[in-house]
Amino acid sequence: MILAQKKDLLGLKDLSKEEIELILETAAPMKDIIKRDIKKVPTLRGKALATVFYEPSTRTRTSFEIAGKYLSADVVNLTVENSSVKKGESLRDTIKTIEVMGFDIMVMRHSMSGAPHYVARNTDIRIINAGDGSNEHPTQALLDLYTIREKKGTLEGLTVVIVGDILHSRVVRSNIYGLSKFGCEIRVVGPSTLMAPEIDKLGVKCFYNLEKALEGADVVNILRIQKERQHSGLFPTLDEYANLYMVNGEKLKRAREDVLVLHPGPMNRGVEISSELADGTQALINEQVTNGVAIRMALLFLMAGGTRDEIAN
Ligand code: CP
């Protein structure tokens, strides 16, 4: 089992195509469990999972918690706001404290790029990166890949457009690392002030005009404008941003008729996505959330040493 040989899941940059496929294939039977009346299997009985979030989260933290519970793990959530971090305890001491309580897997989100990598080097617990600064958000990209593959039947050769705040987004980097392993054409589009300088080195095509970027697209993944990270006036006003880069039904006519619309959430309706599109039939935003639970169940299962043959019995 490939993932059982890796201690941590820190990013999609480090995963092979085969490892990603294994996670996606394992998520499918996990999704069946979510649909059952009794959503509980004994697979991770006796395992302990801690979620440690230094940044706010609704989807990622909650879905890891419920994923662990559906698999019968014991799950503890450390909310930094109510922890001894507030008394000045260091990251290293916080993690050591959790380690010696006997946890098997720790899910961690941090505002600093590389924080989960630092923790992974300094603890025996398996670490899953739930988003680090502007670096990676691997489980978001995995659920995005799952959602696309479920609808299109394949990932190979698709044209995927990623729109918005490329500079600050960890979702875009993990999506690029994942999609490029499946031969997708990846286009990133946004204002030049929100375009990361090194992004063209990752094999993507950069656009500054949304309509041009959307020509013939199979998938459009719309990023959240991260208001909390905009400290230096990178665009004049939200209205101006919306005028040029908000994806709506009219602009989407440039894409293929069967285009899929993704957004990792939370959304700024009327800024990066129109409400009409967010609530329309092309949008898969709620399915992404459901798939996020299945992906995280699959990951917990595989990282705890589960094999393909014993899935979902
Ligand atoms: N997509 C995502 O990471 O959402 P949360 O911040 O709510 O976890």
Side-chain angles (χ1 to χ4, degrees):
M1 179 54 48
I2 317 169
L3 284 183
Q5 288 161 13
K6 273 202 167 87
K7 177 179 157 287
D8 310 295
L9 190 281
L10 300 174
L12 292 201
K13 189 178 185 179
D14 309 323
L15 284 194
S16 66
K17 181 179 176 184
E18 291 69 33
E19 287 171 313
I20 293 174
E21 280 175 333
L22 174 66
I23 298 166
L24 302 186
E25 282 164 20
T26 308
M30 296 299 175
K31 192 168 175 181
D32 292 339
I33 295 172
I34 300 169
K35 291 183 200 148
R36 291 182 192 166
D37 271 354
I38 310 292
K39 303 172 187 55
K40 201 144 185 105
V41 292
T43 316
L44 293 189
R45 197 164 51 200
K47 298 287 181 189
L49 168 71
T51 69
V52 181
F53 277 61
Y54 282 77
E55 279 192 333
S57 168
T58 297
R59 291 151 200 79
T60 314
R61 199 204 59 72
T62 310
S63 60
F64 266 115
E65 179 177 355
I66 198 67
K69 287 179 173 171
Y70 286 161
L71 295 173
S72 300
D74 292 309
V75 184
V76 171
N77 302 303
L78 181 78
T79 312
V80 164
E81 278 301 307
N82 299 322
S83 76
S84 289
V85 172
K86 283 286 163 195
K87 301 176 200 160
E89 189 165 41
S90 71
L91 176 59
R92 189 177 187 136
D93 287 345
T94 302
I95 299 310
K96 191 70 194 171
T97 303
I98 291 168
E99 179 180 355
V100 296
M101 290 182 194
F103 285 96
D104 300 286
I105 298 178
M106 187 190 309
V107 177
M108 183 185 175
R109 173 173 286 187
H110 203 285
S111 57
M112 275 176 51
S113 297
H117 306 67
Y118 166 81
V119 169
R121 286 193 300 273
N122 286 286
T123 177
D124 292 331
I125 306 180
R126 289 171 160 249
I127 304 297
I128 299 177
N129 181 2
D132 65 318
S134 58
N135 180 38
E136 280 222 43
H137 191 348
T139 59
Q140 177 66 48
L142 287 167
L143 75 88
D144 291 343
L145 297 191
Y146 182 92
T147 304
I148 297 167
R149 198 172 81 149
E150 190 179 49
K151 292 291 172 194
K152 294 282 186 192
T154 183
L155 289 164
E156 303 288 342
L158 296 177
T159 298
V160 180
V161 179
I162 308 176
V163 187
D165 186 353
I166 309 298
L167 181 63
H168 298 102
S169 175
R170 49 199 177 207
V171 174
V172 74
R173 281 167 189 75
S174 288
N175 262 274
I176 291 170
Y177 293 132
L179 291 165
S180 57
K181 288 172 176 139
F182 293 86
C184 294
E185 177 179 322
I186 305 163
R187 302 175 187 168
V188 295
V189 54
S192 56
T193 48
L194 293 181
M195 196 60 74
E198 84 294 358
I199 207 80
D200 55 351
K201 295 195 182 74
L202 300 180
V204 303
K205 295 185 181 171
C206 296
F207 289 75
Y208 301 97
N209 178 291
L210 177 58
E211 284 84 349
K212 281 190 185 154
L214 287 172
E215 287 290 346
D218 296 294
V219 179
V220 55
N221 197 346
I222 304 166
L223 302 173
R224 179 174 71 89
I225 286 294
Q226 301 190 29
K227 293 174 193 161
E228 73 276 23
R229 296 189 219 271
Q230 310 279 347
H231 301 304
S232 50
L234 291 170
F235 53 84
T237 64
L238 289 177
D239 279 351
E240 181 159 338
Y241 180 86
N243 191 31
L244 293 173
Y245 294 104
M246 181 178 74
V247 184
N248 57 22
E250 188 55 36
K251 290 181 186 145
L252 204 61
K253 285 180 185 160
R254 305 286 188 113
R256 285 174 58 97
E257 209 171 316
D258 59 351
V259 65
L260 306 178
V261 176
L262 275 64
H263 190 303
M267 289 181 278
N268 296 301
R269 287 171 182 260
V271 178
E272 70 260 3
I273 185 168
S274 69
S275 252
E276 144 251 347
L277 189 61
D279 299 327
T281 53
Q282 287 158 307
L284 299 172
I285 297 158
N286 292 328
E287 290 187 47
Q288 284 175 269
V289 176
T290 306
N291 293 338
V293 179
I295 282 289
R296 286 159 183 139
M297 288 171 76
L299 206 49
L300 294 174
F301 169 75
L302 292 168
M303 288 188 70
T307 64
R308 199 192 298 255
D309 296 339
E310 56 188 356
I311 293 168
N313 287 318

